[in-house]
Amino acid sequence: MHICYIIAMEAEAKPFILRFGMKETEKYFSPLPCRLFQYKDTALNSTLSIVTLGRQHERDLVGCEAASVATLAAIERLKPDLIINSGTCGGWKRKGAEIGKVYVADSVMFHDRRIPGDDEWGTQGLGNYSVWKRSTDIATKLGVEMGRVTTGSSLDLQPCDEVIIEREGGELKDMEGAAVAFVCSLLNVPILLIKSVTDLCDDSAPTLESFLKNLKIASENLSEANASLLKLLL
Amino acid sequence: MHICYIIAMEAEAKPFILRFGMKETEKYFSPLPCRLFQYKDTALNSTLSIVTLGRQHERDLVGCEAASVATLAAIERLKPDLIINSGTCGGWKRKGAEIGKVYVADSVMFHDRRIPGDDEWGTQGLGNYSVWKRSTDIATKLGVEMGRVTTGSSLDLQPCDEVIIEREGGELKDMEGAAVAFVCSLLNVPILLIKSVTDLCDDSAPTLESFLKNLKIASENLSEANASLLKLLL
């Protein structure tokens, strides 16, 4: 089995790369900036790949376009059996979120692609992509809650986003999940999403400050959860 | 020279395909939904490709993720010398826009990727991608105005978008341009953007209604302009 993780930022991937002693395959995606780290278990006939989005404008790339590029490039080159999008997200205290808490997604959609006036285009804009059918079983075995992930291209949260998130029952807000799931939907590759909370949208702390402060603990918890997840899968 | 157009919708591409008698290369991008239409002039050693985004959820795909996928797939498979993103856009009466008026972009950026609190991430979010260096010369020869294109994932326009568009001097609002330009920036492929106005953001008419009503005339004007453009290039 070949499992390929799409992870936006190096900091989110690092604890994972260290834990498995994964090696970088240099220039694999060149000239794309995506980076590939791999671990092969020949006895189990398994390959674990981590693809990060790479850098531009002096920062790790984040967001939906870079995630679309990395996912397409990863699927076409690596032909994985499963894509896992692992990353950090925002949550809401009133919906039970806490800093560092890990979730598996039960569904994923966009919250900032509004096409008002046409039902079909409206539906296409929001997306609503399916997750891997084993997601529920895996959440149960990991002992983590499931949540509805909604994706937007901005770190902040505008009133128009809140309207859609509330209406659609969104519980976890990220910046890549639905883009990864969209590309998987085009190519019929199953996707599982696992997310850890870095900031609380109904808290008064500034989003970026919370994000950076909590990135390490959230990434470590995510790394622990991913290690347990891989024990189940490989 | 190989010129590859990225055009979101069939209706935007159709007058162009008919004018050049272009043939579809079936299943070229399969299983991606993108469609490829080509015209080869062996005497001139030139190839003209049109890639449309294809369909999902009973509508032509539009927006940044589908445009990212189509652009990456087109560049990797076709290895064009130049990408042209041709399509419709919104404009502002007070900035001189009229229904069906054609523009060449002098620059392109996102208006709905907000990452407040960090200058570098803020810069990455907005994008600000370079256009092909011959864009100004071409606009002059075509006798069309140039404009600053800003791209967002929604058909509507929210107050947070208007703030950024005003601050950054945006003149033409589309749903794909910056995503196409982002992928071109990663792969060092030059890009020219040519846009025709379907709706006026400072008019009272509903956006989708204007868009659908004016799509034919805008696409026809765009087709005329593209025919003149290709005479300059091939």
Side-chain angles (χ1 to χ4, degrees):
Chain A
M1 190 180 194
H2 186 157
I3 296 174
C4 178
Y5 276 80
I6 305 289
I7 301 182
M9 295 169 58
E10 297 292 320
E12 291 169 313
K14 200 169 179 184
F16 203 169
I17 291 166
L18 292 175
R19 175 185 285 260
F20 285 89
M22 297 175 80
K23 299 281 178 235
E24 181 167 12
T25 308
E26 299 268 358
K27 310 279 180 200
Y28 186 81
F29 286 99
S30 179
L32 292 175
C34 314
R35 296 177 69 182
L36 173 65
F37 302 85
Q38 278 193 322
Y39 166 81
K40 292 188 187 198
D41 189 324
T42 44
L44 287 172
N45 195 24
S46 295
T47 302
L48 175 64
S49 297
I50 291 184
V51 175
T52 63
L53 309 189
R55 289 170 73 85
Q56 192 178 41
H57 294 119
E58 300 178 48
R59 283 289 180 278
D60 285 10
L61 279 162
V62 295
C64 293
E65 291 73 20
S68 300
V69 163
T71 306
L72 177 59
I75 292 175
E76 292 200 326
R77 285 164 176 78
L78 302 169
K79 305 195 189 316
D81 301 295
L82 175 67
I83 290 282
I84 300 179
N85 174 228
S86 172
T88 54
C89 66
W92 282 263
K93 280 190 293 188
R94 67 171 189 275
K95 297 178 183 184
E98 296 161 25
I99 299 298
K101 186 168 169 181
V102 173
Y103 292 83
V104 166
D106 57 19
S107 53
V108 60
M109 60 177 287
F110 290 97
H111 62 244
D112 68 350
R113 302 200 321 180
R114 301 171 305 277
I115 307 181
D118 179 279
D119 284 349
E120 280 74 18
W121 259 326
T123 299
Q124 183 194 104
L126 296 181
N128 268 314
Y129 308 104
S130 300
V131 296
W132 189 32
K133 59 187 176 190
R134 284 193 58 195
S135 296
T136 306
D137 172 48
I138 282 164
T140 307
K141 285 184 175 143
L142 293 178
V144 304
E145 286 180 31
M146 298 192 86
R148 183 154 171 75
V149 173
T150 76
T151 300
S153 292
S154 292
L155 187 68
D156 68 8
L157 187 66
Q158 295 290 331
C160 52
D161 302 327
E162 290 193 271
V163 167
I164 291 178
I165 290 170
E166 279 314 300
R167 191 188 68 206
E168 303 286 334
E171 295 169 290
L172 304 164
K173 172 187 175 286
D174 83 348
M175 291 178 69
E176 290 90 15
V180 177
F182 162 67
V183 179
C184 288
S185 81
L186 296 180
L187 294 163
N188 299 310
V189 178
I191 175 169
L192 180 139
L193 298 99
I194 183 162
K195 299 279 161 176
S196 177
V197 176
T198 46
D199 57 279
L200 296 164
C201 302
D202 51 357
D203 198 346
S204 59
T207 306
L208 187 67
E209 204 174 283
S210 301
F211 172 75
L212 294 172
K213 181 177 145 213
N214 300 319
L215 183 57
K216 192 159 179 282
I217 179 76
S219 298
E220 281 169 4
N221 289 0
L222 209 47
S223 171
E224 286 293 326
N226 276 313
S228 306
L229 169 61
L230 288 171
K231 272 190 204 152
L232 292 174
L233 296 181
L234 293 179
Chain B
M1 189 180 193
H2 188 158
I3 296 173
C4 178
Y5 276 79
I6 305 291
I7 300 182
M9 295 169 57
E10 297 292 321
E12 291 170 311
K14 200 169 179 184
F16 203 168
I17 291 166
L18 292 176
R19 175 186 285 261
F20 285 90
M22 297 175 79
K23 299 278 177 238
E24 181 167 12
T25 309
E26 299 268 358
K27 310 279 181 202
Y28 186 81
F29 287 98
S30 178
L32 292 176
C34 313
R35 296 177 70 183
L36 173 65
F37 301 85
Q38 279 192 320
Y39 166 81
K40 292 189 189 197
D41 188 323
T42 43
L44 288 172
N45 195 25
S46 294
T47 302
L48 175 64
S49 296
I50 291 183
V51 175
T52 63
L53 308 189
R55 289 171 72 86
Q56 191 178 44
H57 294 120
E58 298 177 51
R59 282 289 180 276
D60 285 9
L61 279 162
V62 293
C64 293
E65 291 72 21
S68 301
V69 163
T71 306
L72 177 58
I75 293 175
E76 292 199 326
R77 285 162 176 78
L78 302 170
K79 305 194 190 316
D81 301 296
L82 175 67
I83 290 283
I84 299 179
N85 174 226
S86 172
T88 54
C89 66
W92 283 263
K93 281 190 291 188
R94 67 171 190 275
K95 297 178 183 184
E98 296 160 25
I99 299 300
K101 186 168 169 181
V102 173
Y103 292 83
V104 166
D106 57 18
S107 53
V108 60
M109 60 176 289
F110 290 97
H111 62 243
D112 69 349
R113 304 199 319 180
R114 300 170 307 276
I115 308 181
D118 179 278
D119 285 347
E120 281 73 18
W121 260 323
T123 299
Q124 183 194 105
L126 297 181
N128 267 315
Y129 307 104
S130 300
V131 295
W132 190 32
K133 59 186 177 192
R134 284 193 58 195
S135 296
T136 306
D137 173 46
I138 281 164
T140 306
K141 285 184 175 144
L142 292 178
V144 304
E145 287 180 31
M146 300 193 82
R148 184 155 171 73
V149 173
T150 76
T151 300
S153 292
S154 291
L155 188 68
D156 68 7
L157 186 65
Q158 294 289 330
C160 52
D161 302 326
E162 291 194 270
V163 167
I164 291 178
I165 289 170
E166 280 312 301
R167 191 187 68 205
E168 302 286 335
E171 296 168 291
L172 304 165
K173 172 186 175 287
D174 83 347
M175 292 178 69
E176 290 90 15
V180 177
F182 162 68
V183 179
C184 287
S185 80
L186 295 180
L187 295 164
N188 300 311
V189 178
I191 175 171
L192 181 138
L193 297 99
I194 184 162
K195 299 279 161 178
S196 176
V197 176
T198 45
D199 56 279
L200 296 164
C201 303
D202 50 359
D203 196 347
S204 59
T207 307
L208 187 68
E209 205 173 282
S210 301
F211 172 75
L212 294 173
K213 182 178 143 213
N214 300 320
L215 183 56
K216 192 158 178 282
I217 179 74
S219 298
E220 282 170 2
N221 290 0
L222 210 45
S223 172
E224 287 292 326
N226 276 314
S228 306
L229 170 60
L230 287 171
K231 273 191 201 151
L232 293 175
L233 296 180
L234 293 179

